[in-house]
Amino acid sequence: MEGIDFGSAEHRKVVIIGTGPAGLTAAIYSARANFAPLVIQGPEPGGQLITTTDVENYPGFPDGIMGPDMMQMFEKQAERFGAELRWGTVTSVDLSQRPFKLIVDEETPVTADTVIVSTGASAMYLGLENESRLLGHGVSACATCDGAFFREQNVAIVGGGDTAMEEALFLTRFASKIFLIHRRGEFRASKIMQDRVLSHEKIEVLWNTTVEDIRGDKLVEGLVIKDVNTGEVRDLDVEGFFVAIGHTPNTDLFKDFLDMDETGYIQTQSDSTYTNIEGVFACGDAQDHIYRQAVTAAGTGCMAAIDAERWLADQEA
Ligand code: NDP
């Protein structure tokens, strides 16, 4: 915060940080309550759905909808009622007193009576040295973004949740063969997604298998994998490697102020989006490690806007 002059900072009653389904739903509600909220988009505008293909489980879209298209509709709806969506990332916050202080892109000060945190979650990686080195050179955490680079090639994907299933199925559009590597003998993904994967001729599941290393100098050339039951280690020749092992909440920014669980999910009161700081509300994947769905994120975004509105009304009463 040093060196930034907050004297002439732009002030808003409601500032929303993050633009996934939670943040944009909060924006729609808050805008319709006439707060003209400022919505700071963050490093991944639109959130995780931007990297998703067909969303088949969001009510109201019986034929499914593409994730990016859906997020554009959310944005349009928020702007229609006066929400201001702004490019930029909140790089520091001071939530120790009101008005709350925020700095956007390390230089622009903003103050707020209420802050709605909807910063979502990001993909996790295995933590292998070659994984980070070859990221973008055959290693990816987003099949939707990078799958098309692997036309007629062999690829592998690691994970056993719905993301891994969805991404493996997406990769069947391009790759000639997909090895789905899972560390256990059963998936945690929903039954319908498992069934689709298990019946797909292009997908071969390698159960009870871990990825020990990634081979390749400038590009991925293969994996070193291990059978956890037998201890056997072998090479698997693939040109692409996708990581789909879950997510971590984007909440580092708030760690000095907001109560979180041991994995960094912001703790909210059980029946609301109130955090431990009055006037700061949290919604979406930043505070939900259980459901993590677009529709539940949107639901908690709506709750956060209503909670903020009522809290502001109480302050003014
Ligand atoms: P999950 O946490 O559900 O699954 C992560 C998977 O990665 C697990 O199978 C886990 O194995 C495995 N894993 C975790 N860490 C490692 C590691 N270090 N090495 C190897 N494997 C590892 O995450 P998802 O991203 O798949 O899903 C998150 C949530 O989003 C879920 O609730 C899911 O249902 C939902 N979702 C829904 C979709 C839809 O409905 N269309 C699409 C995508 C996600 P293990 O099982 O052994 O723990």
Side-chain angles (χ1 to χ4, degrees):
M1 291 279 151
E2 283 112 64
I4 302 278
D5 176 17
F6 274 88
S8 53
E10 177 180 2
H11 180 78
R12 295 289 175 113
K13 287 200 163 184
V14 179
V15 171
I16 298 168
I17 310 177
T19 45
L24 289 173
T25 303
I28 292 166
Y29 273 77
S30 193
R32 292 192 80 248
N34 265 347
F35 286 118
L38 175 63
V39 190
I40 315 284
Q41 305 224 35
E44 287 174 50
Q48 292 173 67
L49 280 182
I50 288 298
T51 57
T52 300
T53 48
D54 301 295
V55 179
E56 294 180 341
N57 51 12
Y58 201 92
F61 299 96
D63 301 320
I65 179 167
M66 298 300 276
D69 294 346
M70 185 159 95
M71 294 325 293
Q72 254 182 16
M73 290 161 81
F74 272 60
E75 278 178 26
K76 220 168 133 190
Q77 196 170 348
E79 285 176 331
R80 177 178 156 210
F81 297 110
E84 184 188 342
L85 272 62
R86 193 174 292 173
W87 284 99
T89 298
V90 176
T91 45
S92 48
V93 295
D94 181 353
L95 305 178
S96 60
Q97 54 186 3
R98 294 197 297 267
F100 302 118
K101 293 183 180 142
L102 295 85
I103 298 175
V104 180
D105 291 337
E106 287 172 4
E107 57 181 19
T108 310
V110 174
T111 58
D113 292 330
T114 63
V115 170
I116 295 178
V117 178
S118 47
T119 46
S122 295
M124 291 199 311
Y125 289 88
L126 293 174
L128 300 168
E129 202 183 311
N130 286 333
E131 179 184 41
S132 45
R133 188 176 60 79
L134 292 167
L135 192 63
H137 302 276
V139 174
S140 166
C142 176
T144 319
C145 321
D146 301 322
F149 297 125
F150 299 92
R151 237 169 253 281
E152 308 302 325
Q153 296 182 351
N154 290 349
V155 298
I157 179 163
V158 63
D162 279 320
T163 303
M165 306 299 122
E166 196 175 77
E167 302 227 317
L169 288 164
F170 181 75
L171 288 167
T172 61
R173 300 185 194 185
F174 309 101
S176 39
K177 169 105 188 171
I178 297 106
F179 296 98
L180 175 50
I181 300 170
H182 186 41
R183 63 184 177 184
R184 290 190 296 136
E186 61 179 327
F187 291 135
R188 68 169 61 227
S190 55
K191 181 81 171 57
I192 184 169
M193 296 298 278
Q194 291 195 32
D195 289 347
R196 285 184 199 170
V197 160
L198 293 171
S199 61
H200 202 291
E201 57 186 10
K202 279 189 178 179
I203 302 175
E204 179 179 338
V205 180
L206 304 178
W207 300 106
N208 301 303
T209 300
T210 54
V211 177
E212 300 295 300
D213 202 359
I214 302 163
R215 292 190 288 110
D217 181 18
K218 294 208 162 55
L219 290 172
V220 169
E221 288 165 16
L223 305 178
V224 179
I225 56 170
K226 180 172 159 187
D227 182 318
V228 294
N229 291 334
T230 63
E232 184 207 349
V233 174
R234 67 180 174 101
D235 282 354
L236 184 71
D237 289 340
V238 290
E239 282 123 325
F241 177 53
F242 292 87
V243 188
I245 60 167
H247 293 83
T248 187
N250 302 317
T251 55
D252 260 13
L253 190 60
F254 310 101
K255 66 178 187 304
D256 292 340
F257 303 100
L258 299 182
D259 288 348
M260 298 177 189
D261 70 11
E262 66 283 355
T263 49
Y265 286 91
I266 296 169
Q267 287 180 331
T268 50
Q269 288 178 13
S270 61
D271 54 354
S272 75
T273 61
Y274 277 73
T275 66
N276 56 302
I277 294 186
E278 273 204 35
V280 179
F281 306 87
C283 52
D285 286 13
Q287 55 85 53
D288 168 27
H289 65 284
I290 300 171
Y291 303 104
R292 296 183 288 190
Q293 302 298 301
V295 68
T296 49
T300 55
C302 158
M303 288 165 65
I306 292 174
D307 285 344
E309 180 187 342
R310 290 184 182 159
W311 184 84
L312 282 165
D314 283 349
Q315 305 310 301
E316 283 159 17

